[in-house]
Amino acid sequence: MAFSMMILGVGIIMGGYWAYETLNFGGYWNWDPVENSSLVPWLCGVAALHAMLIYRKTKSYLKVTMLLIIGTFLLVLYSTFLTRSGILGETSVHTFTDLGLSGQLLVLVMTYVVFVAVLMMLRWREIPERADESSVWSAEFMLFVGILILGFSGLVIIITTSLPVFNQIFGTQLAPPPNVQLFYYQWNVWFAILFGVVSGMGQFLWWKIAVKNSVTDALFRPFLMTLIAGGLVWLGLFFADMNFAYDKTFGEMVSPDTLLLKNVFGKIFAWIKYGVLSVSNELLLFSAIFGVLANADVLMSLLKKNRKGLKVMGGTIVHLGFALMLLGMLFSSGYDEVISKNLRPEDLASFPEQEKNDNIAIDRRNPNYVKGFQVKYTGQKKAQAPVSHLRILEETTTRFKLSFRDADGETFAVVLDRAPFIVEEDRHLLEVHSTKDSNDPFARPVGRIDLDKLASLLNEDLAAFDPKLINNRTLYGLEFTELDNPEKQFVMYPEAEVNESMGSILAHPGRKIFWNRDIYVFTSSLPTPESMEPKFYSFGMRIGDTVRIGETRLMLAELRNLTSRPDLQKYDVAAAAHIVAFSEGDTLVANPLYVIEGNRPGMITSQIEELGMDLAFVGITPDQDLIHIQVRQVDPHSDFVVIKAISKPFINLLWLGTFILVAGFGISIYRRTQESKAKVS
């Protein structure tokens, strides 16, 4: 049972982490019905584990234990029905459509429910049960309270999730909560608070009551430490001006001033509810800190008492991990903050009103600001030399597709003609290879590709090959510079693509991990492909001539002979056109090269990123003193992104707690395995 709950728990957390890394809703849990259908069996299974511990120690609660174990299995079946029947199609974003299996799945679930119910009723009186009751200040009672907490939490979630099922079966029209996140928070925050307290107290009663004079003595130290630590954290939140995210929601949806209540008792109840919810985050903060400190206290005390006794502390480690997860959930979801505040919301005229204030636009010429950072848009991710890990993905008789990794570790691909890149000793094979064979789709490719030569050419001028990210992905570069320390910079590459069939942007966020928070960024809007079409210009210029492209003036300042430069000595001729660009008060420089190697002329382009220009020195007409320049430009003002940036404080506590929780499960499983082997022997 412990192994099953560990695997299911790991699966749930992995799904949450995948959503956080891949999707753009800014979190890891959205209370989606399909998400809930995996969580409830886990809650029931963990409750069953606690019931099994009570029975193992006192031989009581056997009926409860059996009901919870059976309930876990039935909930897994029911979750399969919810997910695969298509009944949640209108309420879940990732449920399966009805594949004609809904009837069979319902019959399967009902068969097991009826069979188990009848069997339990027939054997109910034969199941042994102790008549004595546990003391309130006993480990068994705390375990039972934990069972109730997990059970009621699962009950609230599964009932709300099952509203579409009730409507389908009974013909009702029960509506889901208007604000799903607020609804589940209102219920589950109290279960979380209780669990934080009970998990700590339960461990003291389970392990330490024998070594302390009283329960009060045992709990005094963790309670005192909790008051001190919780008070310091609360003061830190206050002075850092970190506001609880749900307070505004409470004010809008729960505040008695917004409810038209004529009944006096209704108003009193509304005020009580509002007041209690307003302090729920502080209560959860202190409860989670108590859970961490109390379980850590128990763990340290047991290690001091028996340094070889770590294998018996699996439960304590599980509770410690879960308490850390509660802290991580509280901070990352309750105190997250949109840091991309837009001072000119009118610039985003096409955005919904509620989104204008939380998104900012950045183009190639104009940086923008989020809280604590200047953000510069550096354009779509381009391959950076040096390249490595060259590999041929596909090849025909005439072409091949090459993949490689750039300096940033991203994988790019490019399709090239075979003939120029075949190794010298295989070139004679081309002469005997007939045209008919080369057009035959079933003919084998002729000649080996010279990957060393390719690597050299790629490193020399990557831009000329125009490689694309593998699988046609598009990454958008955002350079963040700290306002307090401009020397500290980092670059993020959120991923996005315009999905024409869905009429929307499929965005995958970028993330920068700090010790105390994550900066989480995703794109909200992109330019249309049409606006990003490059424009091409060709000029014949003499030294000193000036040409104009839009608001930009290009002047050919001089022609430089660079043949003697060490990195260009392999060329017979290497000349650079020194071009100065004047645009919007800026003076920028480009030096495209014209080279000759043997009898083959070539070009090495130069970029002016601020203007979106690629310049090429394509030739010379000596008798007219003309230098021929070609320009490829994407208007920098049309190359923009709209982003939303969120700060997720202390989310690493959630992931750390997950690892600790799994480790605790592993220790418990190992202990039970060893005990079983000992009994057998």
Side-chain angles (χ1 to χ4, degrees):
M1 189 71 178
F3 179 78
S4 300
M5 291 305 101
M6 181 182 72
I7 295 300
L8 180 56
V10 169
I12 293 171
I13 291 296
M14 288 178 65
Y17 188 80
W18 172 84
Y20 180 66
E21 282 277 325
T22 306
L23 305 181
N24 67 343
F25 69 91
Y28 41 82
W29 194 262
N30 206 33
W31 294 111
D32 183 90
V34 173
E35 296 172 350
N36 296 346
S37 66
S38 66
L39 176 63
V40 175
W42 186 80
L43 292 173
C44 189
V46 173
L49 282 174
H50 286 78
M52 292 165 69
L53 287 173
I54 298 176
Y55 178 73
R56 179 185 178 88
K57 188 172 183 179
T58 66
K59 302 302 179 184
S60 58
Y61 295 108
L62 179 57
K63 292 179 179 178
V64 174
T65 303
M66 295 180 68
L67 288 174
L68 288 171
I69 294 173
I70 294 169
T72 302
F73 174 69
L74 293 178
L75 283 168
V76 170
L77 292 180
Y78 181 60
S79 298
T80 305
F81 166 73
L82 288 176
T83 304
R84 304 293 304 202
S85 66
I87 202 166
L88 299 177
E90 296 182 0
T91 58
S92 173
V93 296
H94 53 292
T95 185
F96 291 89
T97 57
D98 187 1
L99 301 176
L101 298 174
S102 56
Q104 295 93 316
L105 289 171
L106 185 59
V107 170
L108 177 65
V109 173
M110 294 307 298
T111 299
Y112 275 101
V113 169
V114 172
F115 177 77
V116 170
V118 171
L119 187 60
M120 287 296 292
M121 286 189 292
L122 292 175
R123 306 295 297 271
W124 187 257
R125 292 184 179 180
E126 300 177 25
I127 301 174
E129 189 74 8
R130 284 181 55 178
D132 59 325
E133 297 181 358
S134 301
S135 168
V136 171
W137 292 108
S138 68
E140 294 77 21
F141 180 77
M142 288 298 167
L143 285 170
F144 183 69
V145 173
I147 293 170
L148 292 178
I149 294 170
L150 294 167
F152 279 115
S153 176
L155 192 63
V156 170
I157 296 171
I158 199 64
I159 288 175
T160 309
T161 303
S162 298
L163 291 180
V165 180
F166 298 153
N167 292 338
Q168 190 81 12
I169 295 176
F170 302 109
T172 55
Q173 295 183 344
L174 301 171
N179 188 315
V180 174
Q181 283 74 25
L182 176 59
F183 171 82
Y184 283 113
Y185 175 82
Q186 289 179 107
W187 282 96
N188 286 288
V189 66
W190 307 112
F191 299 131
I193 291 169
L194 289 172
F195 188 85
V197 174
V198 169
S199 70
M201 294 178 63
Q203 285 299 303
F204 268 98
L205 293 169
W206 185 269
W207 291 111
K208 298 192 70 176
I209 196 65
V211 298
K212 292 289 183 181
N213 295 326
S214 67
V215 175
T216 305
D217 291 339
L219 296 175
F220 176 75
R221 182 168 59 187
F223 266 120
L224 178 62
M225 293 173 63
T226 297
L227 290 175
I228 296 173
L232 291 175
V233 172
W234 183 84
L235 287 174
L237 292 171
F238 177 79
F239 286 109
D241 197 26
M242 293 178 66
N243 300 312
F244 187 54
Y246 283 94
D247 280 346
K248 182 179 179 181
T249 309
F250 293 153
E252 293 176 350
M253 301 191 64
V254 188
S255 173
D257 294 334
T258 64
L259 303 176
L260 301 177
L261 298 172
K262 297 180 180 180
N263 187 293
V264 175
F265 293 104
K267 289 184 177 181
I268 293 174
F269 177 77
W271 274 109
I272 293 173
K273 180 181 179 182
Y274 176 69
V276 172
L277 282 173
S278 297
V279 298
S280 60
N281 57 306
E282 285 86 359
L283 293 176
L284 180 56
L285 172 65
F286 280 86
S287 171
I289 290 176
F290 174 75
V292 171
L293 295 177
N295 283 286
D297 195 339
V298 171
L299 189 63
M300 294 303 296
S301 298
L302 289 175
L303 286 174
K304 289 179 181 178
K305 185 180 178 182
N306 181 5
R307 294 186 179 275
K308 296 182 179 180
L310 182 62
K311 66 180 182 181
V312 303
M313 302 170 197
T316 306
I317 295 174
V318 167
H319 288 167
L320 174 62
F322 193 77
L324 281 171
M325 290 176 66
L326 289 179
L327 275 178
M329 293 174 194
L330 171 64
F331 281 112
S332 61
S333 295
Y335 290 94
D336 59 341
E337 177 188 10
V338 176
I339 59 175
S340 53
K341 292 300 181 182
N342 192 352
L343 301 180
R344 295 175 54 87
E346 64 274 10
D347 291 345
L348 303 179
S350 61
F351 271 58
E353 286 298 324
Q354 65 272 21
E355 292 293 328
K356 288 182 179 179
N357 294 324
D358 294 341
N359 290 269
I360 59 171
I362 314 173
D363 63 39
R364 294 290 295 273
R365 294 299 304 274
N366 300 299
N368 211 325
Y369 296 87
V370 303
K371 187 176 181 180
F373 298 93
Q374 181 193 70
V375 186
K376 179 183 177 182
Y377 173 48
T378 60
Q380 296 181 13
K381 177 76 171 66
K382 301 295 185 182
Q384 303 294 324
V387 302
S388 61
H389 296 82
L390 276 71
R391 187 162 64 95
I392 297 174
L393 300 179
E394 302 171 10
E395 56 183 332
T396 67
T397 56
T398 57
R399 312 196 79 190
F400 66 97
K401 184 175 184 179
L402 176 79
S403 76
F404 61 88
R405 291 185 191 172
D406 78 337
D408 296 328
E410 292 287 350
T411 303
F412 287 79
V414 61
V415 177
L416 300 168
D417 290 331
R418 291 185 63 84
F421 304 106
I422 292 177
V423 296
E424 289 298 329
E425 53 265 34
D426 287 354
R427 286 197 172 276
H428 68 282
L429 298 176
L430 292 177
E431 300 174 4
V432 299
H433 189 61
S434 67
T435 304
K436 180 179 179 181
D437 289 338
S438 66
N439 294 327
D440 182 358
F442 299 102
R444 293 179 61 83
V446 173
R448 294 166 294 163
I449 301 299
D450 190 340
L451 294 181
D452 291 335
K453 178 181 179 181
L454 261 174
S456 176
L457 292 172
L458 287 168
N459 286 325
E460 187 176 287
D461 190 4
L462 261 177
F465 288 86
D466 194 24
K468 306 296 183 184
L469 278 160
I470 200 76
N471 297 329
N472 293 319
R473 298 161 57 232
T474 306
L475 304 181
Y476 296 85
L478 299 170
E479 182 182 87
F480 284 70
T481 303
E482 288 191 15
L483 296 179
D484 294 337
N485 187 357
E487 293 183 359
K488 289 187 176 181
Q489 296 179 334
F490 61 89
V491 179
M492 273 195 218
Y493 289 102
E495 180 180 349
E497 61 178 299
V498 179
N499 189 297
E500 297 180 358
S501 62
M502 297 176 64
S504 62
I505 293 176
L506 299 180
H508 305 294
R511 184 166 65 113
K512 175 64 176 178
I513 303 174
F514 296 91
W515 71 270
N516 61 341
R517 61 173 174 164
D518 280 8
I519 301 294
Y520 184 94
V521 177
F522 60 89
T523 55
S524 307
S525 182
L526 299 169
T528 61
E530 293 77 16
S531 67
M532 292 293 293
E533 286 293 328
K535 295 180 180 179
F536 296 89
Y537 307 90
S538 295
F539 307 104
M541 304 175 68
R542 296 181 176 88
I543 294 175
D545 284 355
T546 298
V547 297
R548 182 177 292 275
I549 299 177
E551 299 298 320
T552 301
R553 289 188 303 115
L554 298 178
M555 183 183 75
L556 178 59
E558 61 177 318
L559 186 65
R560 297 174 176 174
N561 185 354
L562 302 180
T563 307
S564 60
R565 206 169 76 179
D567 59 323
L568 298 175
Q569 287 183 357
K570 67 177 181 178
Y571 299 110
D572 300 317
V573 175
H578 183 61
I579 298 173
V580 181
F582 305 95
S583 177
E584 297 183 11
D586 293 334
T587 301
L588 306 163
V589 175
N591 290 284
L593 299 180
Y594 181 77
V595 297
I596 298 176
E597 184 178 10
N599 294 321
R600 292 186 303 173
M603 300 173 295
I604 300 177
T605 60
S606 180
Q607 292 183 327
I608 304 179
E609 291 188 1
E610 295 85 349
L611 302 179
M613 286 185 176
D614 290 325
L615 295 94
F617 182 179
V618 297
I620 303 175
T621 305
D623 57 342
Q624 300 181 27
D625 294 329
L626 283 179
I627 308 299
H628 297 283
I629 303 295
Q630 288 185 355
V631 178
R632 175 185 182 274
Q633 183 186 36
V634 175
D635 184 357
H637 294 294
S638 68
D639 189 5
F640 71 93
V641 290
V642 178
I643 66 167
K644 184 174 183 178
I646 305 171
S647 174
K648 310 286 285 187
F650 296 106
I651 191 171
N652 287 330
L653 290 176
L654 172 59
W655 314 128
L656 174 63
T658 300
F659 284 109
I660 293 175
L661 180 140
V662 173
F665 267 113
I667 292 171
S668 296
I669 294 168
Y670 174 77
R671 178 190 176 190
R672 299 304 178 197
T673 303
Q674 294 300 108
E675 290 177 351
S676 299
K677 290 181 179 179
K679 288 181 180 180
V680 171
S681 60

